[in-house]
Amino acid sequence: KGLPTSLEVAMMQLPSFEAAVMQAREAPKAGEVGLVVIASAYHVGGAFLSARHRGPEEEACIRSTLFPLLRLSARSVEGEEEPLTDARGKRVWIPEDGVLVCEGIRVFRGSAESCFAMLEERDIVELTVLAMSLPNLGPCYATAKQGIQGPPLGDMLPSAYEARVRQKFETVLQGAASAGVRTLVVSDDGCDDLSNDPEDFGYILGSILANTLSKALPDVIAAGSSLFGASVRAGIADAIQSRRK
């Protein structure tokens, strides 16, 4: 009762950052567009400072004012008496069951195609960034990048993965609502680096959206791959259909 009987998610086959910038330029107010960024819970900014890899978190740090806020948040976590850890006791700075809501993030550089050129003042936009981590589902023997990606959890059960990602998306929607986000851009950018299946990732999101009872639910745009977008819609359709039986 009260759950949506139909729900439409727009699809944009663009990198999530570009999709969010496009939406922000058309938004009535600054900060009303939210962008979900898959971020490292183990190393602030991912590989941003080393310049060895450019994923969604690194690009966001290059193009916006995000990185200083990430560092500030990490320092506040480090100052707490009880350390924040993952399920295996390893220290993290983004909780496994939470999300970091970063408001007032100004985008001042263009895309890689422009060599990250500085934007004119009139072209600068403001986003609300929601940083969430994902488990590293790489094989258990693949330890080369675990300093950034976290310990490999290739043996994680599908049910455990679904429960964890479901909790993360629920928190993302709560954070977006509290920040006044009206349009939320989500994509599978960064899933491949962590061996997360875009199809599973999108399907879980769709199921969450269809089962969320909230008048503050933002308009959701599925950016990234077409497989991810189709999976979000499939998750919505299956969740609504199951309630009709």
Side-chain angles (χ1 to χ4, degrees), residues 238 240-245:
D238 287 353
I240 292 176
Q241 183 62 33
S242 67
R243 294 203 302 268
R244 292 172 176 168
K245 293 180 179 178

Side-chain angles (χ1 to χ4, degrees), residues 186-238:
V186 191
S187 83
D188 57 335
D189 294 344
C191 280
D192 287 346
D193 292 335
L194 294 165
S195 301
N196 282 233
D197 187 341
E199 189 171 4
D200 293 340
F201 188 62
Y203 190 88
I204 295 169
L205 172 59
S207 175
I208 290 292
L209 292 173
N211 288 295
T212 297
L213 179 58
S214 173
K215 294 181 180 179
L217 188 68
D219 295 330
V220 175
I221 295 176
S225 71
S226 58
L227 176 61
F228 170 74
S231 299
V232 174
R233 289 183 170 178
I236 292 171
D238 287 353

Side-chain angles (χ1 to χ4, degrees), residues 18 36 103-104 221:
E18 282 305 303
V36 177
E103 300 182 58
I221 295 176

Side-chain angles (χ1 to χ4, degrees), residues 67-205:
F67 184 68
L69 187 55
L70 296 184
R71 291 198 68 174
L72 183 63
S73 300
R75 285 172 181 166
S76 67
V77 170
E78 291 171 358
E80 295 180 358
E81 293 184 6
E82 186 173 339
L84 188 63
T85 63
D86 63 12
R88 298 191 174 191
K90 190 174 180 65
R91 293 198 68 164
V92 294
W93 73 278
I94 300 176
E96 285 191 331
D97 59 351
V99 61
L100 181 64
V101 181
C102 306
E103 300 182 58
I105 302 301
R106 289 169 60 84
V107 180
F108 60 89
R109 290 187 182 275
S111 66
E113 293 181 354
S114 71
C115 297
F116 303 114
M118 295 289 290
L119 298 176
E120 298 289 339
E121 183 65 30
R122 65 177 181 273
D123 295 326
I124 292 176
V125 298
E126 190 173 299
L127 300 173
T128 296
V129 173
L130 298 103
M132 64 177 279
S133 63
L134 284 180
N136 175 13
L137 298 185
C140 293
Y141 56 79
T143 60
K145 297 181 180 179
Q146 67 174 318
I148 292 176
Q149 296 179 345
L153 303 173
D155 57 351
M156 176 178 277
L157 295 174
S159 57
Y161 174 79
E162 180 179 353
R164 183 177 298 185
V165 174
R166 180 174 292 274
Q167 186 177 42
K168 289 177 182 292
F169 274 135
E170 288 173 348
T171 311
V172 163
L173 293 177
Q174 292 170 7
S178 68
V181 169
R182 300 178 66 88
T183 301
L184 183 65
V185 179
V186 191
S187 83
D188 57 335
D189 294 344
C191 280
D192 287 346
D193 292 335
L194 294 165
S195 301
N196 282 233
D197 187 341
E199 189 171 4
D200 293 340
F201 188 62
Y203 190 88
I204 295 169
L205 172 59

